Amino acid sequence: NAGVTQTPKFQVLKTGQSMTLQCAQDMNHNSMYWYRQDPGMGLRLIYYSASEGTTDKGEVPNGYNVSRLNKREFSLRLESAAPSQTSVYFCASSEAAEVSPLHFGNGTRLTVT
Amino acid sequence: QKEVEQNSGPLSVPEGAIASLNCTYSDRGSQSFFWYRQYSGKSPELIMSIYSNGDKEDGRFTAQLNKASQYVSLLIRDSQPSDSATYLCAVPSNAGNNRKLIWGLGTSLAVNP
């Protein structure tokens, strides 16, 4: 099983460009999450989807949008990238929105110049 | 502001020794506690979860929970160089939902051969 698959692994954008980060899980999990990880800041939740058809803001949603395309896929879109969005992005999934272990993808390292 | 605090380290131990990692949390209502391991440049992976006071053992890993003192620790026995990583403590707030998962900044562990 692949688990949680994220694409791309690396991306460089210029300020103002847009892009979509893709995430898919094959564990039949109900809940999916997008985190960013920055030195000294730890993991911060951007958006999450408790179940198919629902999405909600996390701790740092500004500048991002998400789509829960189906049960498997949860994408993160940057409409107009800013240097402050330079970070490592992780997608994760869990069996349920209630407390349960998270399974992470391999991450996307994004640089905005 | 609910918090999870960990010593940033680095914690350096010789191969074969016991590594002790500590985490304190502020939310007295927290019921579940997770330890994730993150190798440099990789994604976090769950290594231990603990839900009740006392010890929980899994191979060389032991999680210890003391709700009265609001700390959870991770002991790694017979430490190996392959244990060198950052260990993240994660505690859901008393909302009981992964959306409210609060992450520590992690403790960096170095196991020296």
Side-chain angles (χ1 to χ4, degrees):
Chain A
N1 285 342
V4 180
T5 302
Q6 283 182 243
T7 55
K9 286 185 170 51
F10 301 93
Q11 184 70 49
V12 179
L13 291 178
K14 295 186 188 303
T15 297
Q17 289 184 320
S18 62
M19 78 162 296
T20 299
L21 282 65
Q22 306 287 353
C23 176
Q25 52 91 10
D26 62 3
M27 295 175 284
N28 201 34
H29 283 172
N30 289 304
S31 302
M32 298 185 73
Y33 313 81
W34 277 105
Y35 282 93
R36 60 178 289 175
Q37 187 175 38
D38 303 286
M41 301 293 288
L43 281 162
R44 293 183 291 172
L45 184 65
I46 304 170
Y47 269 94
Y48 81 110
S49 172
S51 60
E52 185 179 358
T54 69
T55 61
D56 206 349
K57 296 177 180 178
E59 183 183 355
V60 289
N62 290 345
Y64 306 95
N65 284 302
V66 292
S67 295
R68 182 76 182 265
L69 303 169
N70 47 55
K71 190 172 185 178
R72 291 186 64 246
E73 298 173 284
F74 188 39
S75 62
L76 178 71
R77 183 159 179 84
L78 286 69
E79 292 291 351
S80 178
S84 60
Q85 294 178 306
T86 294
S87 188
V88 179
Y89 291 84
F90 290 105
C91 177
S93 70
S94 66
E95 193 170 327
E98 292 75 33
V99 172
S100 53
L102 296 179
H103 298 259
F104 285 85
N106 288 333
T108 296
R109 188 172 296 274
L110 174 67
T111 301
V112 183
T113 62
Chain B
Q1 178 74 16
K2 296 181 170 63
E3 294 181 344
V4 172
E5 295 191 356
Q6 301 179 250
N7 288 330
S8 61
L11 174 65
S12 183
V13 300
E15 184 174 356
I18 295 174
S20 178
L21 306 161
N22 298 313
C23 171
T24 59
Y25 59 95
S26 62
D27 186 352
R28 285 194 170 276
S30 297
Q31 298 294 321
S32 311
F33 306 87
F34 301 93
W35 282 101
Y36 287 80
R37 176 178 62 199
Q38 187 174 24
Y39 291 114
S40 180
K42 303 295 185 182
S43 59
E45 57 177 329
L46 180 73
I47 53 171
M48 289 287 285
S49 58
I50 186 166
Y51 303 97
S52 55
N53 274 334
D55 295 1
K56 178 182 177 182
E57 188 174 317
D58 184 1
R60 295 186 296 110
F61 298 96
T62 299
Q64 298 176 320
L65 174 60
N66 184 321
K67 290 185 180 179
S69 300
Q70 295 177 248
Y71 81 80
V72 55
S73 61
L74 180 70
L75 301 179
I76 306 175
R77 291 184 302 280
D78 188 24
S79 294
Q80 300 297 309
S82 59
D83 296 324
S84 298
T86 296
Y87 290 80
L88 305 173
C89 176
V91 181
S93 75
N94 62 6
N97 186 300
N98 274 349
R99 178 185 182 280
K100 296 292 189 182
L101 200 60
I102 303 169
W103 294 84
L105 296 183
T107 297
S108 174
L109 172 66
V111 181
N112 305 307

Short mmCIF file of all heavy atoms in Angstrom, two decimals, chain B residues 20-65:
data_model
loop_
_atom_site.label_atom_id
_atom_site.label_comp_id
_atom_site.label_asym_id
_atom_site.label_seq_id
_atom_site.Cartn_x
_atom_site.Cartn_y
_atom_site.Cartn_z
N SER B 20 15.77 9.51 27.23
CA SER B 20 14.54 9.93 27.89
C SER B 20 14.08 11.27 27.33
O SER B 20 14.80 12.26 27.41
CB SER B 20 14.77 10.05 29.40
OG SER B 20 13.59 10.49 30.05
N LEU B 21 12.91 11.27 26.76
CA LEU B 21 12.36 12.47 26.13
C LEU B 21 11.10 12.87 26.89
O LEU B 21 10.27 12.03 27.20
CB LEU B 21 12.02 12.18 24.67
CG LEU B 21 13.16 11.61 23.85
CD1 LEU B 21 12.66 10.93 22.60
CD2 LEU B 21 14.12 12.73 23.47
N ASN B 22 10.98 14.15 27.17
CA ASN B 22 9.86 14.63 27.99
C ASN B 22 8.99 15.63 27.27
O ASN B 22 9.46 16.37 26.40
CB ASN B 22 10.40 15.25 29.28
CG ASN B 22 11.15 14.25 30.11
OD1 ASN B 22 10.69 13.13 30.33
ND2 ASN B 22 12.33 14.62 30.59
N CYS B 23 7.74 15.66 27.67
CA CYS B 23 6.76 16.55 27.07
C CYS B 23 5.78 16.97 28.17
O CYS B 23 5.26 16.12 28.89
CB CYS B 23 6.04 15.80 25.95
SG CYS B 23 4.60 16.64 25.24
N THR B 24 5.55 18.26 28.29
CA THR B 24 4.54 18.74 29.22
C THR B 24 3.44 19.43 28.43
O THR B 24 3.68 19.98 27.35
CB THR B 24 5.12 19.73 30.25
OG1 THR B 24 5.69 20.84 29.56
CG2 THR B 24 6.18 19.07 31.10
N TYR B 25 2.23 19.37 28.97
CA TYR B 25 1.10 19.95 28.26
C TYR B 25 0.25 20.75 29.24
O TYR B 25 0.26 20.51 30.44
CB TYR B 25 0.26 18.86 27.58
CG TYR B 25 -0.29 17.83 28.53
CD1 TYR B 25 -1.58 17.95 29.04
CD2 TYR B 25 0.47 16.73 28.90
CE1 TYR B 25 -2.09 17.01 29.92
CE2 TYR B 25 -0.03 15.77 29.78
CZ TYR B 25 -1.30 15.92 30.29
OH TYR B 25 -1.81 14.99 31.16
N SER B 26 -0.49 21.69 28.71
CA SER B 26 -1.21 22.61 29.59
C SER B 26 -2.69 22.26 29.76
O SER B 26 -3.31 22.66 30.74
CB SER B 26 -1.09 24.04 29.06
OG SER B 26 -1.67 24.15 27.78
N ASP B 27 -3.26 21.52 28.80
CA ASP B 27 -4.70 21.25 28.83
C ASP B 27 -5.00 20.05 29.72
O ASP B 27 -4.75 18.91 29.34
CB ASP B 27 -5.19 21.01 27.40
CG ASP B 27 -6.70 20.86 27.32
OD1 ASP B 27 -7.37 20.80 28.38
OD2 ASP B 27 -7.23 20.82 26.20
N ARG B 28 -5.56 20.32 30.88
CA ARG B 28 -5.85 19.24 31.83
C ARG B 28 -6.90 18.27 31.30
O ARG B 28 -7.02 17.15 31.80
CB ARG B 28 -6.33 19.82 33.16
CG ARG B 28 -5.24 20.44 33.99
CD ARG B 28 -5.71 20.68 35.43
NE ARG B 28 -4.60 21.04 36.28
CZ ARG B 28 -3.79 20.16 36.87
NH1 ARG B 28 -3.99 18.86 36.71
NH2 ARG B 28 -2.79 20.55 37.62
N GLY B 29 -7.66 18.70 30.32
CA GLY B 29 -8.70 17.84 29.77
C GLY B 29 -8.21 16.85 28.73
O GLY B 29 -8.98 16.01 28.27
N SER B 30 -6.94 16.92 28.36
CA SER B 30 -6.42 16.03 27.32
C SER B 30 -6.47 14.58 27.77
O SER B 30 -6.18 14.26 28.92
CB SER B 30 -4.98 16.41 26.97
OG SER B 30 -4.94 17.71 26.42
N GLN B 31 -6.87 13.73 26.84
CA GLN B 31 -7.06 12.31 27.17
C GLN B 31 -6.14 11.39 26.37
O GLN B 31 -6.02 10.22 26.69
CB GLN B 31 -8.52 11.91 26.90
CG GLN B 31 -9.53 12.68 27.75
CD GLN B 31 -9.38 12.35 29.23
OE1 GLN B 31 -9.15 11.21 29.61
NE2 GLN B 31 -9.50 13.36 30.09
N SER B 32 -5.58 11.93 25.29
CA SER B 32 -4.77 11.09 24.40
C SER B 32 -3.45 11.78 24.12
O SER B 32 -3.40 13.01 24.05
CB SER B 32 -5.49 10.87 23.07
OG SER B 32 -6.82 10.48 23.26
N PHE B 33 -2.41 10.96 23.92
CA PHE B 33 -1.08 11.53 23.78
C PHE B 33 -0.32 10.69 22.76
O PHE B 33 -0.38 9.46 22.78
CB PHE B 33 -0.36 11.52 25.13
CG PHE B 33 -1.18 12.20 26.19
CD1 PHE B 33 -2.12 11.48 26.90
CD2 PHE B 33 -1.04 13.55 26.44
CE1 PHE B 33 -2.92 12.10 27.85
CE2 PHE B 33 -1.82 14.18 27.38
CZ PHE B 33 -2.77 13.45 28.09
N PHE B 34 0.38 11.38 21.88
CA PHE B 34 1.05 10.70 20.78
C PHE B 34 2.51 11.14 20.70
O PHE B 34 2.83 12.30 20.91
CB PHE B 34 0.37 11.04 19.45
CG PHE B 34 -1.09 10.65 19.40
CD1 PHE B 34 -2.08 11.55 19.73
CD2 PHE B 34 -1.45 9.37 19.02
CE1 PHE B 34 -3.41 11.19 19.69
CE2 PHE B 34 -2.79 9.00 18.97
CZ PHE B 34 -3.77 9.91 19.31
N TRP B 35 3.35 10.17 20.36
CA TRP B 35 4.74 10.45 20.02
C TRP B 35 4.97 10.09 18.56
O TRP B 35 4.67 8.98 18.14
CB TRP B 35 5.69 9.63 20.89
CG TRP B 35 5.86 10.17 22.28
CD1 TRP B 35 5.26 9.71 23.42
CD2 TRP B 35 6.69 11.26 22.68
NE1 TRP B 35 5.67 10.45 24.50
CE2 TRP B 35 6.56 11.41 24.07
CE3 TRP B 35 7.56 12.13 22.00
CZ2 TRP B 35 7.23 12.38 24.80
CZ3 TRP B 35 8.23 13.10 22.72
CH2 TRP B 35 8.07 13.22 24.10
N TYR B 36 5.50 11.07 17.83
CA TYR B 36 5.87 10.86 16.44
C TYR B 36 7.38 11.02 16.31
O TYR B 36 7.99 11.84 16.99
CB TYR B 36 5.17 11.88 15.53
CG TYR B 36 3.70 11.65 15.32
CD1 TYR B 36 2.77 12.03 16.28
CD2 TYR B 36 3.22 11.06 14.15
CE1 TYR B 36 1.41 11.82 16.09
CE2 TYR B 36 1.87 10.85 13.95
CZ TYR B 36 0.97 11.23 14.93
OH TYR B 36 -0.38 11.02 14.73
N ARG B 37 7.95 10.27 15.39
CA ARG B 37 9.37 10.39 15.08
C ARG B 37 9.50 10.99 13.69
O ARG B 37 8.79 10.61 12.76
CB ARG B 37 10.03 9.01 15.11
CG ARG B 37 11.49 8.99 14.71
CD ARG B 37 12.05 7.57 14.84
NE ARG B 37 11.36 6.65 13.96
CZ ARG B 37 11.37 5.33 14.11
NH1 ARG B 37 12.02 4.79 15.11
NH2 ARG B 37 10.74 4.57 13.25
N GLN B 38 10.43 11.93 13.54
CA GLN B 38 10.66 12.55 12.25
C GLN B 38 12.15 12.57 11.95
O GLN B 38 12.92 13.27 12.60
CB GLN B 38 10.09 13.97 12.21
CG GLN B 38 10.16 14.62 10.84
CD GLN B 38 9.46 15.97 10.77
OE1 GLN B 38 9.31 16.65 11.79
NE2 GLN B 38 9.03 16.36 9.58
N TYR B 39 12.54 11.78 10.96
CA TYR B 39 13.91 11.83 10.48
C TYR B 39 14.09 13.09 9.65
O TYR B 39 13.15 13.61 9.05
CB TYR B 39 14.23 10.60 9.64
CG TYR B 39 14.28 9.31 10.42
CD1 TYR B 39 13.35 8.30 10.20
CD2 TYR B 39 15.26 9.09 11.38
CE1 TYR B 39 13.39 7.11 10.91
CE2 TYR B 39 15.32 7.91 12.10
CZ TYR B 39 14.37 6.93 11.87
OH TYR B 39 14.42 5.75 12.58
N SER B 40 15.33 13.57 9.61
CA SER B 40 15.64 14.79 8.88
C SER B 40 15.20 14.69 7.42
O SER B 40 15.55 13.74 6.73
CB SER B 40 17.14 15.06 8.95
OG SER B 40 17.47 16.24 8.26
N GLY B 41 14.40 15.63 6.99
CA GLY B 41 13.94 15.65 5.61
C GLY B 41 12.79 14.70 5.30
O GLY B 41 12.40 14.57 4.14
N LYS B 42 12.28 14.06 6.32
CA LYS B 42 11.18 13.10 6.13
C LYS B 42 9.93 13.56 6.85
O LYS B 42 9.92 14.60 7.52
CB LYS B 42 11.61 11.72 6.65
CG LYS B 42 12.87 11.17 6.02
CD LYS B 42 12.68 10.90 4.53
CE LYS B 42 13.90 10.25 3.93
NZ LYS B 42 13.74 10.03 2.46
N SER B 43 8.88 12.77 6.72
CA SER B 43 7.62 13.13 7.36
C SER B 43 7.51 12.46 8.73
O SER B 43 8.17 11.46 9.01
CB SER B 43 6.45 12.70 6.46
OG SER B 43 6.51 11.31 6.22
N PRO B 44 6.68 13.00 9.60
CA PRO B 44 6.48 12.37 10.92
C PRO B 44 5.80 11.01 10.79
O PRO B 44 4.96 10.81 9.91
CB PRO B 44 5.56 13.36 11.65
CG PRO B 44 5.69 14.65 10.91
CD PRO B 44 5.93 14.27 9.49
N GLU B 45 6.18 10.11 11.67
CA GLU B 45 5.52 8.80 11.72
C GLU B 45 5.21 8.48 13.17
O GLU B 45 6.01 8.72 14.07
CB GLU B 45 6.40 7.71 11.10
CG GLU B 45 7.76 7.57 11.73
CD GLU B 45 8.59 6.45 11.14
OE1 GLU B 45 8.00 5.43 10.70
OE2 GLU B 45 9.82 6.58 11.14
N LEU B 46 4.03 7.92 13.39
CA LEU B 46 3.61 7.61 14.74
C LEU B 46 4.42 6.44 15.29
O LEU B 46 4.60 5.42 14.62
CB LEU B 46 2.13 7.23 14.75
CG LEU B 46 1.56 6.87 16.12
CD1 LEU B 46 1.41 8.12 16.96
CD2 LEU B 46 0.23 6.15 15.96
N ILE B 47 4.93 6.59 16.52
CA ILE B 47 5.61 5.48 17.15
C ILE B 47 4.91 5.00 18.40
O ILE B 47 5.02 3.83 18.76
CB ILE B 47 7.10 5.79 17.44
CG1 ILE B 47 7.26 7.08 18.24
CG2 ILE B 47 7.90 5.86 16.16
CD1 ILE B 47 8.68 7.30 18.73
N MET B 48 4.22 5.89 19.11
CA MET B 48 3.54 5.46 20.33
C MET B 48 2.31 6.34 20.57
O MET B 48 2.32 7.52 20.27
CB MET B 48 4.45 5.61 21.55
CG MET B 48 5.59 4.63 21.65
SD MET B 48 5.05 2.98 22.09
CE MET B 48 4.71 3.18 23.83
N SER B 49 1.30 5.72 21.11
CA SER B 49 0.15 6.47 21.62
C SER B 49 -0.14 5.95 23.02
O SER B 49 0.10 4.78 23.31
CB SER B 49 -1.06 6.28 20.71
OG SER B 49 -1.40 4.92 20.60
N ILE B 50 -0.64 6.81 23.88
CA ILE B 50 -0.96 6.39 25.25
C ILE B 50 -2.18 7.17 25.70
O ILE B 50 -2.33 8.36 25.40
CB ILE B 50 0.26 6.59 26.19
CG1 ILE B 50 -0.03 6.01 27.58
CG2 ILE B 50 0.68 8.04 26.26
CD1 ILE B 50 1.22 5.85 28.44
N TYR B 51 -3.05 6.48 26.41
CA TYR B 51 -4.34 7.07 26.75
C TYR B 51 -4.62 7.06 28.26
O TYR B 51 -5.50 7.76 28.72
CB TYR B 51 -5.47 6.31 26.04
CG TYR B 51 -5.30 6.30 24.54
CD1 TYR B 51 -4.73 5.20 23.91
CD2 TYR B 51 -5.69 7.37 23.76
CE1 TYR B 51 -4.56 5.18 22.53
CE2 TYR B 51 -5.53 7.36 22.38
CZ TYR B 51 -4.96 6.26 21.78
OH TYR B 51 -4.79 6.24 20.41
N SER B 52 -3.89 6.24 29.01
CA SER B 52 -4.18 6.17 30.44
C SER B 52 -2.88 6.30 31.22
O SER B 52 -1.79 6.02 30.72
CB SER B 52 -4.89 4.86 30.77
OG SER B 52 -4.16 3.75 30.33
N ASN B 53 -3.01 6.70 32.46
CA ASN B 53 -1.85 6.87 33.32
C ASN B 53 -1.03 5.58 33.42
O ASN B 53 -1.58 4.49 33.40
CB ASN B 53 -2.29 7.28 34.74
CG ASN B 53 -2.48 8.77 34.86
OD1 ASN B 53 -1.87 9.54 34.13
ND2 ASN B 53 -3.32 9.17 35.77
N GLY B 54 0.28 5.77 33.54
CA GLY B 54 1.15 4.63 33.69
C GLY B 54 2.06 4.47 32.49
O GLY B 54 2.34 5.43 31.79
N ASP B 55 2.53 3.26 32.31
CA ASP B 55 3.49 2.95 31.26
C ASP B 55 2.84 2.12 30.17
O ASP B 55 1.98 1.28 30.43
CB ASP B 55 4.68 2.17 31.84
CG ASP B 55 5.49 2.98 32.82
OD1 ASP B 55 5.13 4.14 33.07
OD2 ASP B 55 6.48 2.45 33.35
N LYS B 56 3.32 2.36 28.96
CA LYS B 56 2.94 1.50 27.83
C LYS B 56 4.21 1.16 27.08
O LYS B 56 4.96 2.05 26.69
CB LYS B 56 1.96 2.23 26.91
CG LYS B 56 1.57 1.41 25.70
CD LYS B 56 0.63 2.18 24.79
CE LYS B 56 0.28 1.39 23.54
NZ LYS B 56 -0.60 2.17 22.63
N GLU B 57 4.43 -0.12 26.89
CA GLU B 57 5.68 -0.58 26.27
C GLU B 57 5.42 -1.15 24.89
O GLU B 57 4.43 -1.86 24.68
CB GLU B 57 6.33 -1.64 27.17
CG GLU B 57 7.72 -2.06 26.73
CD GLU B 57 8.37 -2.99 27.74
OE1 GLU B 57 8.26 -2.74 28.95
OE2 GLU B 57 8.96 -4.00 27.30
N ASP B 58 6.32 -0.85 23.98
CA ASP B 58 6.25 -1.41 22.63
C ASP B 58 7.68 -1.59 22.14
O ASP B 58 8.33 -0.64 21.70
CB ASP B 58 5.48 -0.48 21.70
CG ASP B 58 5.31 -1.07 20.31
OD1 ASP B 58 5.79 -2.21 20.05
OD2 ASP B 58 4.71 -0.40 19.44
N GLY B 59 8.17 -2.81 22.29
CA GLY B 59 9.55 -3.07 21.90
C GLY B 59 10.52 -2.29 22.77
O GLY B 59 10.46 -2.37 24.00
N ARG B 60 11.40 -1.52 22.14
CA ARG B 60 12.38 -0.74 22.90
C ARG B 60 11.80 0.58 23.40
O ARG B 60 12.47 1.32 24.11
CB ARG B 60 13.59 -0.46 22.02
CG ARG B 60 14.38 -1.69 21.63
CD ARG B 60 15.66 -1.33 20.89
NE ARG B 60 15.42 -0.66 19.62
CZ ARG B 60 15.68 0.61 19.38
NH1 ARG B 60 16.20 1.39 20.32
NH2 ARG B 60 15.44 1.13 18.18
N PHE B 61 10.57 0.88 23.04
CA PHE B 61 9.95 2.15 23.40
C PHE B 61 8.97 1.98 24.56
O PHE B 61 8.19 1.03 24.60
CB PHE B 61 9.18 2.74 22.20
CG PHE B 61 10.05 3.05 21.01
CD1 PHE B 61 10.18 2.15 19.97
CD2 PHE B 61 10.74 4.25 20.95
CE1 PHE B 61 10.99 2.44 18.88
CE2 PHE B 61 11.54 4.56 19.86
CZ PHE B 61 11.66 3.64 18.82
N THR B 62 9.03 2.92 25.50
CA THR B 62 8.07 2.97 26.59
C THR B 62 7.55 4.39 26.72
O THR B 62 8.34 5.33 26.83
CB THR B 62 8.69 2.54 27.93
OG1 THR B 62 9.15 1.20 27.83
CG2 THR B 62 7.67 2.63 29.06
N ALA B 63 6.25 4.54 26.67
CA ALA B 63 5.63 5.84 26.93
C ALA B 63 5.14 5.84 28.36
O ALA B 63 4.59 4.84 28.85
CB ALA B 63 4.48 6.09 25.96
N GLN B 64 5.34 6.95 29.04
CA GLN B 64 4.90 7.09 30.42
C GLN B 64 4.01 8.33 30.52
O GLN B 64 4.38 9.40 30.05
CB GLN B 64 6.10 7.25 31.35
CG GLN B 64 7.04 6.06 31.35
CD GLN B 64 8.27 6.30 32.22
OE1 GLN B 64 8.83 7.39 32.23
NE2 GLN B 64 8.68 5.26 32.94
N LEU B 65 2.86 8.16 31.14
CA LEU B 65 1.91 9.26 31.24
C LEU B 65 1.58 9.53 32.70
O LEU B 65 1.28 8.61 33.45
CB LEU B 65 0.62 8.93 30.48
CG LEU B 65 -0.54 9.91 30.59
CD1 LEU B 65 -0.16 11.28 30.08
CD2 LEU B 65 -1.75 9.37 29.85
#
